[in-house]
Amino acid sequence: MDFKKLIQSDGSCIIPKRKSIPDNAFFGCKELKTVVIPAGVEKIGREAFMNCLNLKSVTIPDGVKAIEERAFDNCFELTGIELPSTVNHIGDEVFRGCKKLERIKLPELVKTIPIQAFVSCAGLKSIELPEGLEEIQAMAFYNCTSLRELNIPEKVQFLDETAFIGCAGLEKMTVHSGNLEYCSEENAILSKDKEILLFGCQNSRIPNGVKEIAEYAFEGISTLKSIEIPSSVYDIIFNSFKGCTGLEKIIVDKENQIYRSENNCLLDMYGGLIAGCKTSIIPQGVKMIGSEAFYGIKGLTEIVIPDSVEEIGDNAFRGCGSFTGDLI
């Protein structure tokens, strides 16, 4: 069947009764604006509505069990979608690039949010995660910049370290108290023993007792204004604060044995500069400027490199778009 011939002059489409919507059925149909999927359909195939740039409304009936990879990828105009309770599987990149999608509730049968499921859904303000959810995979919510609150259910046992990169609008992060793998404190998600800070947001405070700040923990949180590192922390990955372009203040507890702060720079005991911000002045004695230390700091207009510096890491000043002064 040529599904494109079902589209009416006003952009609407009512699909005849069938058991599945095949792969690529409406791929790239710019004319499609609304679609009604009939009762009896159990599967929406791979890339079925991918690149339907003007699709605004989809009606999905009870009985649909699987929505496959990239089914609604790049449906730019899709503002909302109701998933029936029968859905138990959503595929990789299923809603990637749906930049106007504002809210979604995932059915209780969904156990996994797959790779890049909601990448660049910049308008996504809220998502209701099912109680039985077990996994959130790589880059699932990458650059969901409007997402305000995140509540991790009790049964989640795996959170990929890249799952929430670039969620700059996050204000609140909580984990169900009964979760066996993770917990929350001070608007941050921690390992259950509270020794590793895994994910932070603009309102996070790093709790006393945290020993490690994970890779990507604050990456892309452009709304983060200040960092206070407690004395307990002894391991910070170089790009933990990559892309924190709004950062203005960095403070390390004076009792910390591994790290220190000076001139709004985060430094280690070996002479390395881990992270800087737009108000940083690199102290004399720094030997290495770490990879991506000033990545994307657009307010940085001038920087003086002391003669003590022996090495500058990859992408240390990449994306400093307003850099007008001298790199001295």
Side-chain angles (χ1 to χ4, degrees), residues 48-266:
F49 297 94
M50 182 175 177
N51 291 343
C52 291
L53 305 183
N54 295 304
L55 181 62
K56 295 182 178 181
S57 173
V58 180
T59 301
I60 303 176
D62 286 340
V64 171
K65 297 177 181 179
I67 304 175
E68 300 294 351
E69 291 85 349
R70 297 179 292 281
F72 295 97
D73 189 352
N74 282 341
C75 291
F76 294 156
E77 295 296 321
L78 193 64
T79 56
I81 190 166
E82 296 289 333
L83 301 183
S85 61
T86 51
V87 171
N88 59 33
H89 168 78
I90 57 174
D92 296 348
E93 307 167 59
V94 62
F95 294 107
R96 181 178 65 174
C98 294
K99 59 185 180 181
K100 291 188 178 181
L101 187 67
E102 294 185 358
R103 292 175 178 82
I104 192 165
K105 178 181 178 180
L106 294 180
E108 286 302 318
L109 295 177
V110 171
K111 303 295 184 185
T112 299
I113 299 178
I115 295 170
Q116 298 189 22
F118 296 95
V119 164
S120 297
C121 290
L124 188 65
K125 296 177 181 178
S126 68
I127 183 163
E128 190 171 336
L129 303 180
E131 291 182 5
L133 187 69
E134 296 176 357
E135 297 183 354
I136 300 179
Q137 295 187 350
M139 301 178 74
F141 294 95
Y142 181 86
N143 276 352
C144 289
T145 53
S146 296
L147 195 62
R148 294 289 179 260
E149 185 172 341
L150 187 65
N151 301 301
I152 303 299
E154 180 178 5
K155 295 182 180 179
V156 170
Q157 54 190 300
F158 174 74
L159 292 172
D160 188 89
E161 59 188 0
T162 64
F164 308 110
I165 288 177
C167 293
L170 274 173
E171 299 172 346
K172 185 177 181 180
M173 307 180 84
T174 61
V175 177
H176 190 286
S177 60
N179 191 291
L180 298 179
E181 300 293 332
Y182 306 101
C183 66
S184 55
E185 189 175 330
E186 301 281 9
N187 282 313
I189 297 177
L190 315 172
S191 58
K192 191 65 176 180
D193 60 10
K194 298 187 178 182
E195 293 187 354
I196 304 173
L197 189 149
L198 300 163
F199 304 100
C201 67
Q202 60 176 301
N203 292 331
S204 295
R205 292 178 60 87
I206 302 172
N208 289 324
V210 167
K211 296 180 179 179
E212 178 182 343
I213 300 175
E215 189 172 16
Y216 313 113
F218 290 90
E219 181 170 334
I221 308 299
S222 56
T223 48
L224 187 67
K225 299 297 183 184
S226 65
I227 303 168
E228 296 185 20
I229 308 294
S231 61
S232 57
V233 173
Y234 63 71
D235 190 9
I236 303 174
I237 307 299
F238 269 105
N239 62 354
S240 296
F241 300 99
K242 173 186 173 183
C244 293
T245 56
L247 199 58
E248 299 175 353
K249 191 174 184 180
I250 301 173
I251 300 173
V252 178
D253 190 288
K254 292 181 180 180
E255 299 299 317
N256 194 295
Q257 300 298 305
I258 305 296
Y259 300 100
R260 65 185 180 90
S261 54
E262 184 178 344
N263 299 339
N264 284 318
C265 296
L266 174 58

Side-chain angles (χ1 to χ4, degrees), residues 283-314:
Q284 183 67 34
V286 168
K287 296 180 180 180
M288 178 183 70
I289 299 173
S291 300
E292 300 168 338
F294 291 89
Y295 186 100
I297 308 293
K298 291 182 170 55
L300 190 67
T301 57
E302 181 176 293
I303 198 76
V304 176
I305 308 295
D307 56 15
S308 58
V309 172
E310 301 171 355
E311 180 181 352
I312 298 177
D314 294 341

